[in-house]
Amino acid sequence: MITADFLVVGGGIAGSSAAAGLAPHGRTIMLEAEDAFGYHSSGRSATYYHFGIGNSTVRGLTAFSRRHFESKTLKGVARSHLSPALFVATSDMLTEMDALRREMGRFTDSLEHIDEVALRKIVPVLKSGDEGLLAGIMDHSARRLDSDALLQDYRAALSQEGGKSVTNARVASIERKDGSWVITTTRNECYAAPVLVNAAGAWCDHVAGMAGVEPLELKSLRRTIISIDAPPEHDARSWPFTKTVVDDFYMLPESGRLLACPVDEVPSDPTDAQPEDYDIALAAAKVEEYTSIPVRRIAHKWAGLRTFTRDRVPVAGFAPDAAGFFWLAGQGGYGLQTAPAMSAITEALITGAPWPDDLEQLGVTESALSVERLKQADKNTEVAPPEARGNA
Ligand SMILES: Cc1cc2nc3c(=O)[nH]c(=O)nc-3n(C[C@H](O)[C@H](O)[C@H](O)COP(=O)(O)OP(=O)(O)OC[C@H]3O[C@@H](n4cnc5c(N)ncnc54)[C@H](O)[C@@H]3O)c2cc1C
């Protein structure tokens, strides 16, 4: 039996950032089921940081996280670089564009209105005019994140504090014994600690079930990304991340190609998500609907799960029905860009430190992220209330 102060289940961005934050406070062990960290959602994202997504709590978490992304990793590697995001609208989307500008403007002063002429200059392949896109908002504070650098850096910080991260450590059973959570993995290794952090992404409800903790009815939604050739007559490397203000399409440059996404949300069980033919075809159709690029070849494709709570705000807090069981779940489509904030919150709530001042000033409250608010919420509440829409 290996004992610790904190056991973190899940080695994605949520588990890794939480483990790094807890490590200075006690022996921390992070257990990952797969043979690589970040194998599931954290390794399949579009790696963007911007204010065009989520509700005001999510934007507050994003704003808090900026300082972390602006600095370098322990090894001196950049965690991110500035890379603007452009939110574009057809005539039918102008009301949503105004609402988005107002909401984003509460968290960044780097917004620029883009008219149709400027739109054509910035991304010449966009279909514009009466039948197409008419205007946009550029978020100049957006950033491209380096997910590998982030994951490695959090593990380096964990190990620097004497903590441990273990792959091929799939949690198979969880028991509460003498004030500790005792975990047994499928390889029959045993770990025990008084605090267990459930950061298992799409599997968080499953992990809770093993521990006899009431699930939060998280919903996993599959999203697909395709990679296509950029048109040779343009230099697409300078194009911004470009998304319709309503959730219909986005694309971004990547290593000389373009990534495109139909902003799909297909309900899925927790699984190793794979792209399905219909969603791949939809992604290609959206490229042709919004741009003049003919999709002749799909160079690469993948899918990943985005896992949400009922109100689409992540959850961080101890389970009211099980001592020492900490939920860190429901990071949805913003788990990378909010990870530094969620890590700071996890550290504060577990160690009993005060709620971070900066978060308070950004309007992020403990109750908005609490487990209790999900228990109290009307169970019939839709998974995507309109005010919380916005995806990446
Ligand atoms: C297509 C797509 C685009 C996205 N774009 C963005 C973006 O631009 N910006 C952004 O911020 N976010 C984005 N996201 C969302 C982001 O990827 C997620 O919010 C984030 O990765 C969730 O992290 P996580 O650590 O909770 O989950 P995961 O990365 O899935 O990690 C959970 C881990 O728990 C492990 N696990 C499960 N069960 C067990 C067990 N029994 N024992 C041990 N380990 C277990 C799993 O193997 C997994 O590695 C995107 C997601 C997708 C799919």
Side-chain angles (χ1 to χ4, degrees):
M1 174 88 72
I2 299 166
T3 57
D5 297 296
F6 311 113
L7 290 177
V8 178
V9 180
I13 196 72
S16 304
S17 55
L22 290 171
H25 305 281
R27 181 155 163 77
T28 304
I29 302 178
M30 176 170 77
L31 303 173
E32 167 53 48
E34 304 291 351
D35 58 9
F37 297 100
Y39 175 80
H40 289 288
S41 302
S42 300
R44 304 178 191 203
S45 94
T47 62
Y48 250 82
Y49 168 103
H50 61 76
F51 290 97
I53 189 166
N55 71 358
S56 58
T57 296
V58 170
R59 289 192 176 94
L61 294 168
T62 303
F64 178 92
S65 300
R66 176 160 48 205
R67 215 175 322 139
H68 183 81
F69 295 132
E70 284 170 347
S71 61
K72 291 198 169 166
T73 65
L74 293 172
K75 288 195 173 154
V77 177
R79 293 182 171 121
S80 71
H81 61 270
L82 276 171
S83 177
L86 174 63
F87 301 94
V88 291
T90 61
S91 58
D92 292 346
M93 303 176 194
L94 293 175
T95 309
E96 282 91 347
M97 189 177 89
D98 286 343
L100 183 65
R101 184 191 301 111
R102 275 195 303 278
E103 183 59 17
M104 290 203 296
R106 295 173 52 206
F107 296 91
T108 174
D109 54 10
S110 304
L111 300 181
E112 183 190 1
H113 177 78
I114 304 293
D115 64 18
E116 196 186 324
V117 176
L119 210 57
R120 276 202 293 266
K121 277 200 191 126
I122 297 166
V123 187
V125 293
L126 288 178
K127 286 185 182 165
S128 56
D130 290 346
E131 299 292 297
L133 299 159
L134 286 180
I137 315 164
M138 188 80 96
D139 173 2
H140 289 283
S141 60
R143 306 186 79 88
R144 187 82 198 256
L145 306 176
D146 183 333
S147 55
D148 285 341
L150 290 168
L151 286 164
Q152 280 178 34
D153 187 45
Y154 281 129
R155 288 203 307 283
L158 170 65
S159 125
Q160 208 175 52
E161 294 290 339
K164 229 177 125 183
S165 45
V166 192
T167 49
N168 294 307
R170 184 177 299 278
V171 174
S173 72
I174 305 175
E175 276 179 278
R176 184 82 177 161
K177 262 194 208 159
D178 305 327
S180 277
W181 291 104
V182 179
I183 283 182
T184 307
T185 68
T186 47
R187 295 181 159 197
N188 250 342
E189 292 143 344
C190 285
Y191 298 88
V195 173
L196 183 159
V197 177
N198 180 12
W203 290 266
C204 278
D205 272 345
H206 177 69
V207 167
M210 284 193 257
V213 174
E214 197 188 328
L216 296 181
E217 295 171 32
L218 300 167
K219 298 266 186 301
S220 295
L221 304 173
R222 191 181 65 238
R223 175 154 294 180
T224 306
I225 293 190
I226 61 169
S227 166
I228 57 169
D229 295 330
E233 64 277 23
H234 295 289
D235 182 2
R237 286 172 304 180
S238 62
W239 292 352
F241 169 93
T242 303
K243 178 183 174 293
T244 49
V245 294
V246 299
D247 292 338
D248 204 33
F249 172 65
Y250 70 73
M251 69 174 189
L252 59 144
E254 163 87 346
S255 315
R257 291 205 169 103
L258 289 172
L259 302 182
C261 176
V263 197
D264 47 332
E265 296 201 327
V266 184
S268 168
D269 287 333
T271 187
D272 186 355
Q274 298 301 321
E276 303 222 342
D277 289 349
Y278 176 84
D279 303 310
I280 296 166
L282 185 64
K286 291 291 172 191
V287 172
E288 296 191 346
E289 180 182 337
Y290 285 103
T291 78
S292 56
I293 305 171
V295 180
R296 298 205 173 89
R297 188 175 79 95
I298 291 169
H300 182 47
K301 55 195 179 290
W302 75 86
L305 297 181
R306 300 155 73 252
T307 298
F308 292 93
T309 61
R310 243 190 313 278
D311 60 8
R312 292 207 170 213
V313 173
V315 58
F318 280 106
D321 54 334
F325 187 96
F326 191 89
W327 283 96
L328 182 57
Q331 285 79 359
Y334 11 83
L336 291 181
Q337 67 181 53
T338 58
M342 295 301 287
S343 168
I345 288 168
T346 301
E347 183 183 347
L349 293 177
I350 291 181
T351 62
W355 189 253
D357 272 351
D358 298 5
L359 276 174
E360 193 83 53
Q361 281 153 22
L362 288 162
V364 179
T365 61
E366 185 176 342
S367 62
L369 296 167
S370 69
V371 180
E372 286 80 359
R373 110 276 180 178
L374 294 171
K375 306 255 173 206
Q376 284 154 10
D378 175 359
K379 297 235 171 186
N380 296 321
T381 308
E382 210 194 331
V383 72
E387 78 281 5
R389 292 304 301 231
N391 283 294

